[in-house]
Amino acid sequence: LFLPVADDYRSLSRKVLAAFEWTARSVAFKYLLKTDDDAFVCGARLISLLAPLPRLGLYLGALTANKTVVTSRASPSYERWSDPEYVRIFGSAVYAPYMQGAGYVLSADLVSLAARHPPGPQPLDRSVAQRWPSRPRCTTRPSCPSCRRLKTRSSGDSSRPA
């Protein structure tokens, strides 16, 4: 999938939201898994995890709550993670709860909703959490123990377990 979006870190939110737009418009689906390209997904575990969960309003992943917005130039994280626009737009120095880490799952209705809202300035995971006016059901589940044992080789070959 080639999208008309810059391929750099600061454009990642726009890139993912453009992929959401394309998916919502072009594919019949129940859930969408957004994951990092270096993550291993245990498909069988994911399917069994999703089976009993609701088909609407689902936002599944590793929940981060009460994360303070980096606004101070004195912070060592300022250059990479500064987000003064978030405070200006949303009037809060604390991010809304969001999923972070190697990936998250959204139900089709939330993908469509996210695709209809313009991208914000904040980093990707926080950006997706701000797409809907009312908060979806945030769900955190433990990862698959057998999948957690799989580690990739340090050489970068992610096709074989270590």
Side-chain angles (χ1 to χ4, degrees), residues 2 33 70 72 83 88-89 105-106:
F2 292 100
L33 169 66
V70 176
S72 170
D83 202 0
R88 186 183 67 73
I89 293 168
V105 175
L106 293 171

Side-chain angles (χ1 to χ4, degrees), residues 87-111:
V87 176
R88 186 183 67 73
I89 293 168
F90 298 105
S92 176
V94 177
Y95 288 111
Y98 63 94
M99 303 302 171
Q100 78 171 46
Y104 52 85
V105 175
L106 293 171
S107 53
D109 62 318
L110 292 183
V111 172

Side-chain angles (χ1 to χ4, degrees), residues 50-118:
L50 291 171
L53 296 178
R55 297 253 168 104
L56 297 173
L58 182 73
Y59 184 30
L60 173 74
L63 181 66
T64 297
N66 302 314
K67 179 85 172 176
T68 303
V69 178
V70 176
T71 56
S72 170
R73 291 187 185 277
S75 169
S77 309
Y78 183 81
E79 200 59 41
R80 182 166 185 187
W81 300 112
S82 65
D83 202 0
E85 287 293 299
Y86 185 93
V87 176
R88 186 183 67 73
I89 293 168
F90 298 105
S92 176
V94 177
Y95 288 111
Y98 63 94
M99 303 302 171
Q100 78 171 46
Y104 52 85
V105 175
L106 293 171
S107 53
D109 62 318
L110 292 183
V111 172
S112 295
L113 187 56
R116 289 193 305 264
H117 288 75

Side-chain angles (χ1 to χ4, degrees), residues 2-92:
F2 292 100
L3 300 166
V5 179
D7 193 17
D8 58 35
Y9 186 77
R10 281 304 211 194
S11 300
L12 195 51
S13 293
R14 285 186 295 279
K15 189 175 184 180
V16 169
L17 290 172
F20 285 3
E21 290 171 11
W22 181 87
T23 302
R25 188 177 59 245
S26 308
V27 179
F29 65 100
K30 295 174 187 162
Y31 303 105
L32 180 137
L33 169 66
K34 184 276 175 194
T35 189
D36 294 350
D37 62 357
D38 60 351
F40 173 81
V41 177
C42 182
R45 174 68 175 139
L46 181 61
I47 290 168
S48 69
L49 178 70
L50 291 171
L53 296 178
R55 297 253 168 104
L56 297 173
L58 182 73
Y59 184 30
L60 173 74
L63 181 66
T64 297
N66 302 314
K67 179 85 172 176
T68 303
V69 178
V70 176
T71 56
S72 170
R73 291 187 185 277
S75 169
S77 309
Y78 183 81
E79 200 59 41
R80 182 166 185 187
W81 300 112
S82 65
D83 202 0
E85 287 293 299
Y86 185 93
V87 176
R88 186 183 67 73
I89 293 168
F90 298 105
S92 176

